Amino acid sequence: EDKVVQSPLSLVVHEGDTVTLNCSYEVTNFRSLLWYKQEKKAPTFLFMLTSSGIEKKSGRLSSILDKKELFSILNITATQTGDSAVYLCAVLGGYKYIFGTGTRLKVLA
Amino acid sequence: GAVVSQHPSRVICKSGTSVKIECRSLDFQATTMFWYRQFPKQSLMLMATSNEGSKATYEQGVEKDKFLINHASLTLSTLTVTSAHPEDSSFYICSADGRGGMNTEAFFGQGTRLTVV
């Protein structure tokens, strides 16, 4: 059975800290791995990763994929209170997206 | 980026009635749309995959007669919750991609919070 597991489930940090969120997967017909940020409503897209070892970066956020070890990490440096959200990892396998449990991040001022 | 519009954003209905939720792709043709359900503090659970012009593919445990999905055009899919009960109260989100799921991000609608009283 396909599965996507994220860790930690929740995390509380202070502004300025750096956090690393993990996503491991076992999905047949892997095509890509995606990271989303969900605040109150619909998830917003952060990154899509298809190749191992190539870091994707957007401001203070970066992500990398390891297709051999079947995991990805999402790094957030110099965290801000606006980074507080649930971060979802999804894997596109075959024709559908399988979502992880999410990591709930809370950044304290 | 591509825009997916979901309507309504919030609905309250009486137990036993049916509710229709619409999901539209505004600036691209969505060959495939996905319907998810999300319980509080939980992740998105895929309910069904909707392909234009064909029957939806439901995930295990999802009642197809209760959650009717219609994907009549390349820009519109609808989810109808029939004979709603309080346990159907949840957050429903649709997503769409324009290339049949081939290495593309999923674009999400705004979600619909359904409350059945």
Side-chain angles (χ1 to χ4, degrees):
Chain A
E1 184 184 337
D2 293 338
K3 62 179 179 181
V4 177
V5 178
Q6 291 183 246
S7 64
L9 289 181
S10 65
L11 193 55
V12 180
V13 300
H14 290 91
E15 270 193 320
D17 289 349
T18 294
V19 297
T20 299
L21 310 183
N22 304 291
C23 175
S24 63
Y25 62 91
E26 290 178 30
V27 175
T28 53
N29 297 320
F30 173 92
R31 287 191 168 144
S32 59
L33 185 145
L34 303 95
W35 284 97
Y36 288 87
K37 178 182 182 182
Q38 186 177 26
E39 294 175 90
K40 293 196 175 176
K41 291 198 173 179
T44 53
F45 174 74
L46 295 175
F47 299 111
M48 183 171 74
L49 304 155
T50 55
S51 302
S52 276
I54 299 174
E55 185 183 53
K56 293 228 173 169
K57 200 169 170 64
S58 175
R60 297 176 293 102
L61 276 67
S62 63
S63 184
I64 198 161
L65 173 67
D66 186 327
K67 289 169 75 174
K68 184 180 176 186
E69 300 297 328
L70 307 182
F71 78 93
S72 173
I73 59 172
L74 174 69
N75 277 322
I76 308 174
T77 59
T79 52
Q80 302 171 357
T81 55
D83 295 327
S84 297
V86 175
Y87 290 84
L88 297 168
C89 170
V91 174
L92 177 58
Y95 66 91
K96 64 183 181 182
Y97 300 86
I98 299 127
F99 280 83
T101 47
T103 293
R104 185 173 295 275
L105 173 65
K106 187 168 178 65
V107 182
L108 303 175
Chain B
V3 178
V4 173
S5 175
Q6 189 173 339
H7 177 81
S9 59
R10 186 181 293 270
V11 59
I12 300 172
C13 70
K14 289 186 177 178
S15 197
T17 60
S18 294
V19 173
K20 181 185 280 190
I21 303 169
E22 292 188 348
C23 181
R24 292 180 185 274
S25 56
L26 298 184
D27 55 358
F28 67 105
Q29 293 183 328
T31 52
T32 304
M33 289 187 173
F34 304 90
W35 287 96
Y36 298 88
R37 183 173 181 176
Q38 188 175 33
F39 291 103
K41 297 190 178 180
Q42 293 189 27
S43 190
L44 280 71
M45 299 295 295
L46 179 65
M47 297 174 67
T49 303
S50 169
N51 294 297
E52 185 267 335
S54 63
K55 288 184 179 179
T57 303
Y58 289 81
E59 295 299 300
Q60 195 171 12
V62 178
E63 297 176 61
K64 58 182 70 175
D65 293 330
K66 182 165 185 63
F67 299 100
L68 300 178
I69 291 172
N70 186 292
H71 194 154
S73 76
L74 284 171
T75 60
L76 174 64
S77 177
T78 60
L79 167 68
T80 301
V81 183
T82 62
S83 186
H85 289 285
E87 57 265 30
D88 298 325
S89 299
S90 191
F91 191 57
Y92 294 87
I93 307 181
C94 70
S95 74
D97 63 62
R99 290 182 280 174
M102 296 294 291
N103 276 9
T104 182
E105 68 197 75
F107 302 100
F108 284 89
Q110 303 95 321
T112 297
R113 185 162 300 284
L114 170 64
T115 303
V116 184
V117 297

